[in-house]
Amino acid sequence: MAHAVRAIDSLETVYAGLMAGRRGEPVEKPLARMLASWSVGLGVMPDWLGLGEMPFRRMMARHFPAADPDRVVRLGRPLGFNRHDEREELNQLLLAGRTGASESEVWMAGIVTVGCLGNDHLWQDLGLWSRPDLSQLMLDNFAPLALRNDKNMKWKRFLYKQLCEAEGIYVCRSPSCEVCVDYAKCFVQS
C-alpha cells in the first residue's frame, strides 16, 4: 500500500508542477493528467505519447513552457508498428472531427489514436483520471465528432463504431441501440 501512495504523491507532484507552468489553454488540464500518469508508469502510452520526440517537445513547449520535458518523459514503451491501417483510420476520423480552435488538436488526435490501441477503457489507457476528463477532452478538441455521441457511448466503442459506419458495416444486432442486448456494454449507465 505504501508503494501506491508514493505513486499517487509523485503523480500529484508532476501534475501540480505542470499546471503551475502552463499557458492556460483548456487542453492543458487533461494533458497534464496524461503526462503525470505516463511519467509514473500508468496507462499504456508509448514513448513520446506516440507523437515522436520532436512533436512531443513542441507540444510541451507550447503548453508547458516552464516545464522541463525530460522530467516527465518515461521511455521504454516503443510504439508498435502493427495495426498501422487501424491507427491511420482512427487518426483521420479524429482529424476530420476537429473543433478547429487550436493546432493542439492535431497532437491530441495522435495521442487519442494511440490510446485507442490499449485494452482498457480509453480514459484509463490514456492515463486520464476519470471518464469525464476524456469527455471534456473530446468536446474541447473534437466537438463535431463528440457531439454525435449523444447517447453517452463509451468513447473507444463510439470511435470504432464511427469507423464501421463509415465503411457501411453495422455490427449492432438490433436496429436500435436501446433494445440491443449489449446496450450496457456500450453505454455508460447513469
Side-chain angles (χ1 to χ4, degrees), residues 169-185:
I169 301 168
Y170 298 93
V171 294
C172 293
R173 292 181 286 234
S174 297
S176 172
C177 288
E178 289 81 7
V179 296
C180 179
V181 295
D182 288 329
Y183 184 88
K185 293 179 184 175

Side-chain angles (χ1 to χ4, degrees), residues 31-51:
L31 185 55
R33 288 181 175 182
M34 282 189 269
L35 289 164
S37 295
W38 178 57
S39 75
V40 298
L42 300 175
V44 298
M45 298 306 291
D47 296 351
W48 314 110
L49 296 181
L51 297 175

Side-chain angles (χ1 to χ4, degrees), residues 4 18 26 30-31 42 44 47 55 67 80 94 97 101 104 110 120 125 141 145 147 159 172 180 182 185 187:
L18 288 167
L31 185 55
L42 300 175
V44 298
D47 296 351
L94 289 163
S104 297
D120 215 332
D125 288 337
N141 292 277
L145 179 63
L147 291 171
L159 293 171
C172 293
C180 179
D182 288 329
K185 293 179 184 175
F187 295 92

Side-chain angles (χ1 to χ4, degrees), residues 6-74:
R6 275 197 302 274
I8 291 171
D9 289 342
S10 297
L11 178 80
E12 291 291 338
T13 301
V14 172
Y15 175 73
L18 288 167
M19 292 301 284
R22 70 188 184 123
R23 287 180 46 151
E25 295 181 34
V27 73
E28 291 160 0
K29 182 177 178 182
L31 185 55
R33 288 181 175 182
M34 282 189 269
L35 289 164
S37 295
W38 178 57
S39 75
V40 298
L42 300 175
V44 298
M45 298 306 291
D47 296 351
W48 314 110
L49 296 181
L51 297 175
E53 182 177 1
M54 293 317 295
F56 174 83
R57 291 185 181 282
R58 283 193 299 276
M59 179 189 70
M60 289 293 294
R62 174 178 170 93
H63 292 293
F64 307 104
D68 176 1
D70 294 323
R71 294 198 62 177
V72 298
V73 169
R74 183 178 183 96

Side-chain angles (χ1 to χ4, degrees), residues 48-119:
W48 314 110
L49 296 181
L51 297 175
E53 182 177 1
M54 293 317 295
F56 174 83
R57 291 185 181 282
R58 283 193 299 276
M59 179 189 70
M60 289 293 294
R62 174 178 170 93
H63 292 293
F64 307 104
D68 176 1
D70 294 323
R71 294 198 62 177
V72 298
V73 169
R74 183 178 183 96
L75 301 178
R77 291 182 186 166
L79 177 61
F81 289 101
N82 58 345
R83 299 168 71 183
H84 175 75
D85 291 342
E86 180 182 342
R87 281 197 331 257
E88 185 60 31
E89 288 178 20
L90 282 165
N91 196 55
Q92 290 304 314
L93 173 69
L94 289 163
L95 290 174
R98 288 176 52 197
T99 301
S102 170
E103 66 182 329
S104 297
E105 295 161 2
V106 174
W107 293 318
M108 293 312 301
I111 292 168
V112 171
T113 294
V114 172
C116 283
L117 303 179
N119 294 322

